Amino acid sequence: MCLGFFLHCSYIHLFMLIHITKSIRVFFRRLFHAFFPPCCICCGAPLLPYEKYYCGSCDAGMSRYNERENSADSKRNMTFFLAAHVEHFVFAYYYVRGDAIQKIIHEMKYHYSPDLCRYMGRIMATEESIERVLPEIDYLIPIPIFADRLRERGYNQSELLCYGISDETGIPVLPDAVRRVRRTPKQALRGRDERIENVKDAFEVVTPASLIDKHVAVVDDVVTTGVTTSECIRAIYKIPGIRCSVLSLSSTPHL
């Protein structure tokens, strides 16, 4: 009986300690934010209590993609991807240099922001252009990055976007379904023909049997020329009966 009473008291003390620790942590977080309020990663303005990462003004200023309102863009994009026979190519924002979305993606890639990446995936899942496609998707597949770049960055931002989408939808993520079989130099300063040659045969499907007759979505942070995405899709389409769509956080206005 004494042992039981002792254990009961111990559990109460442990519960109180955990509760006090959490309260102290919340207090100091609020105190820190009172003197150093979190700022928008795009414009530097202080964030309101309900805002996260970027302010409402920057959010409103980003150009959202709506396939129904931009039928010309939709036809152009689908024509570009016709060689890969994608079911859908949709994205959340137009990627415009100097715009807030460029700053967000730069933060995701170069300032170690894994939480931001996952958050933007959740945002993707709620954008109309992407949201209407998601019920068709069986699996989410991130554009893979090579091992040394993964070590350098600490994460694959496309993979974390997938997990953010999955948080909202429950769609399973297959982070290792496709891999890069060779390191490719960065595409940023290369012309279209150079990009095509640069990524040729750079991808390989690791688990083809599990993807037979499935509809997968390849997920990326930004589609510029679409060359890397198309090459990844080309590897995926070696699987019998597979269907593929492309979901991107952003895309340039003209591919």
Side-chain angles (χ1 to χ4, degrees):
M1 183 175 178
C2 291
L3 178 60
F5 178 75
F6 173 77
L7 291 174
H8 178 71
C9 291
S10 298
Y11 283 131
I12 292 176
H13 290 154
L14 180 61
F15 176 79
M16 291 177 63
L17 180 62
I18 293 173
H19 180 72
I20 291 170
T21 302
K22 287 182 178 178
S23 299
I24 292 172
R25 190 162 61 243
V26 169
F27 170 77
F28 278 107
R29 186 187 300 126
R30 289 177 177 173
L31 183 65
F32 179 83
H33 285 166
F35 288 97
F36 305 100
C39 294
C40 173
I41 61 175
C42 302
C43 70
L47 294 178
L48 297 174
Y50 57 84
E51 293 175 334
K52 197 167 185 179
Y53 298 113
Y54 51 91
C55 67
S57 178
C58 288
D59 178 54
M62 289 190 282
S63 300
R64 285 172 166 79
Y65 172 74
N66 187 317
E67 188 174 22
R68 295 172 185 172
E69 296 177 1
N70 297 277
S71 57
D73 285 339
S74 176
K75 290 175 182 177
R76 180 210 66 204
N77 293 339
M78 286 306 298
T79 298
F80 177 81
F81 277 99
L82 192 59
H85 306 291
V86 296
E87 301 287 321
H88 304 282
F89 169 47
V90 288
F91 53 94
Y93 305 101
Y94 285 104
Y95 183 87
V96 180
R97 293 194 181 278
D99 200 358
I101 191 62
Q102 184 196 21
K103 296 174 183 177
I104 289 170
I105 290 174
H106 189 272
E107 189 80 16
M108 289 165 55
K109 284 186 172 182
Y110 304 114
H111 291 152
Y112 192 78
S113 303
D115 292 341
L116 171 62
C117 296
R118 193 157 185 158
Y119 175 77
M120 294 309 296
R122 294 197 292 272
I123 294 296
M124 285 177 67
T126 62
E127 289 293 329
E128 181 185 358
S129 59
I130 294 175
E131 187 178 24
R132 66 175 187 80
V133 172
L134 292 173
E136 303 176 28
I137 305 301
D138 296 309
Y139 297 110
L140 301 168
I141 297 178
I143 294 284
I145 59 178
F146 202 66
D148 61 347
R149 195 162 294 162
L150 181 62
R151 286 192 297 270
E152 177 185 325
R153 189 169 294 162
Y155 54 85
N156 178 356
Q157 70 277 3
S158 297
E159 181 180 332
L160 293 179
L161 288 173
C162 285
Y163 282 117
I165 296 171
S166 183
D167 290 341
E168 295 293 319
T169 64
I171 300 172
V173 180
L174 300 180
D176 302 315
V178 180
R179 68 180 178 185
R180 282 195 190 238
V181 294
R182 61 182 178 83
R183 193 187 192 288
T184 55
K186 291 183 178 181
Q187 297 276 67
L189 300 178
R190 296 173 182 271
R192 178 173 170 75
D193 291 341
E194 287 182 295
R195 290 181 183 222
I196 292 172
E197 189 62 32
N198 189 35
V199 297
K200 186 176 181 181
D201 298 321
F203 300 98
E204 177 183 78
V205 177
V206 179
T207 56
S210 64
L211 300 178
I212 293 174
D213 295 326
K214 300 297 184 182
H215 186 176
V216 302
V218 172
V219 178
D220 206 0
D221 57 338
V222 56
V223 174
T224 50
T225 62
V227 168
T228 301
T229 308
S230 295
E231 187 63 21
C232 182
I233 293 169
R234 194 171 74 85
I236 291 173
Y237 265 119
K238 294 177 183 178
I239 301 169
I242 198 165
R243 293 182 297 144
C244 190
S245 291
V246 177
L247 312 179
S248 183
L249 175 60
S250 66
S251 177
T252 50
H254 303 288
L255 290 176

